[in-house]
Amino acid sequence: MSDIEPRQLEISPMLTTVANLSSDPTGVSTFRRYLWQVKQAVRMWLTCLVDEGGPMCIICEHVEDILVVYPDHLRFLQLKTRDKGSWSANKICYDGNGIESLIRAYKEARKANLHEQSTFELWLEGPIAEGGPTEKFVNAPHDAPKELREKIVKLGAEPAWIDDFLSRLKIRHGQPSQAYTDAACLQEMGALWPSLSIQELRYVYKRLLDAATTAQAGEVKIESIRTNIATALPLLRQGATVSKRNGNDALRALYAQTLQRATLISLTPPVTGATSEQLMERISAGSSASALELKMLAAGASEATIRTAKELRADAEVIRQKLIASRQDPEGELEELAERVLIVGRATASKVTVSQAVNPSAAYRPAEFIAAELLSDPSKLGSIDQKKLFNGDGFAIYGYLSHLSDECRFGWRST
């Protein structure tokens, strides 16, 4: 990625400090054994879509398996798989099962005075042992009994700060199994984008996996991802500007392992219900989708419905351009028709909203229902065109409505 000239991002002071933490490179060199971690990284990366209070970025294999960077705090995540059985408190505290790695992360954070702004989390595939000391330890590590504390000290914790470490330790058990992680990710993505088919969700998921795999490896990103980052909005709004010609070596090395919010936005559709500001952010971040596509996606339209709208818009645009070239006052006539078309479009959107009481799915996919309502009887749309500007063709009128949506005059949902 160092060969990308336009690539500039603003880095917060916290992220600059994080970049200088020493990190064991072993995870990077052996990432192919940890595909489960990559998929968990994708799950965490999706949380960057939260507008307020969400992470700024996800960093793979830097200090910990996953480092989640918020404006005011950090989460160090150590991910552990299992061969069989459940996790007991004693097993969790064995060398090699994650606690010792989190202790190293705590030490690094403590050296940089970041420990008070951090949590240290052990994510465990599968269940814990039921009842007894295991549940108590998992639910309240700070109340760990003497025998477990002694084990943790042997793993590298110092008696002087073990209480602070345990107060920041979080154990997240019950993570989806290696065989089920794909299904869990797709299920969560389906909740974010209910209008997408399973094939479409898999396509988006693959794009995210490709990016996360590259970040896990610390390698230069593939060309398509380079372009997204090169054109993305600045990720952070504070601190010094960093590019390939300035900033320190640690920051430049860190970029290859970073999954940024701007990149996520450019690789995924808008979340259903996205605001106009969010759609404009996508466009500013280099998205090639038109306003029509973004608005329909945000209102739950399927790819097939969007494709139909684009095709009919293209047909209508040919007619519109001929009108402009052949009439004395085409703009006035077209605007008069636009007002009538928008009245029908908005009334249809309101009708869909009312129908949500008996058909809840309409609430998640209003664009799909609006399109079906309008196209089910194109003759009604054609009757709007009293001056025959579009030859009374209902499909052409639908295309003209799509054109008006591209001009941000119709949002495919009730206002």
Side-chain angles (χ1 to χ4, degrees), residues 334-344 346 404 409:
L334 284 168
E335 182 56 31
E336 181 182 340
L337 177 61
E339 292 297 333
R340 297 169 67 87
V341 171
L342 288 171
I343 287 172
V344 172
R346 290 164 184 158
L404 296 173
R409 299 178 67 180

Side-chain angles (χ1 to χ4, degrees), residues 192-208:
L192 288 171
W193 296 287
S195 65
L196 296 187
S197 67
I198 186 62
Q199 291 82 5
E200 292 162 346
L201 287 170
R202 284 173 179 158
Y203 172 73
V204 174
Y205 181 45
K206 182 181 183 302
R207 299 178 77 189
L208 299 181

Side-chain angles (χ1 to χ4, degrees), residues 102-122:
L102 290 172
I103 290 171
R104 288 194 296 269
Y106 177 87
K107 289 178 178 178
E108 283 297 318
R110 193 176 180 90
K111 288 177 186 175
N113 292 319
L114 291 173
H115 61 294
E116 292 184 352
Q117 305 166 57
S118 303
T119 57
F120 303 86
E121 304 181 21
L122 182 61

Side-chain angles (χ1 to χ4, degrees), residues 245-266:
R245 289 205 175 105
N246 59 52
N248 59 46
D249 291 340
L251 276 174
R252 284 196 295 272
L254 187 62
Y255 278 127
Q257 294 164 251
T258 302
L259 298 170
Q260 304 170 59
R261 183 176 186 272
T263 309
L264 178 64
I265 288 173
S266 69

Side-chain angles (χ1 to χ4, degrees), residues 1-76:
M1 193 146 59
S2 60
D3 58 340
I4 297 298
E5 191 63 37
R7 184 179 178 282
Q8 284 194 336
L9 297 173
E10 295 176 5
I11 302 300
S12 72
M14 176 176 282
L15 191 53
T16 303
T17 306
V18 165
N20 286 292
L21 297 178
S22 70
S23 179
D24 182 357
T26 304
V28 174
S29 64
T30 60
F31 82 99
R32 288 179 180 84
R33 293 188 297 151
Y34 301 112
L35 187 56
W36 185 71
Q37 294 181 8
V38 176
K39 295 171 182 178
Q40 292 285 52
V42 168
R43 295 179 69 208
M44 291 305 301
W45 192 16
L46 288 171
T47 66
C48 291
L49 290 171
V50 176
D51 284 322
E52 295 184 10
M56 296 186 295
C57 63
I58 308 297
I59 305 175
C60 298
E61 294 294 354
H62 183 74
V63 184
E64 265 306 347
D65 292 333
I66 297 174
L67 175 55
V68 189
V69 182
Y70 294 81
D72 57 355
H73 68 283
L74 303 168
R75 294 172 62 193
F76 294 85

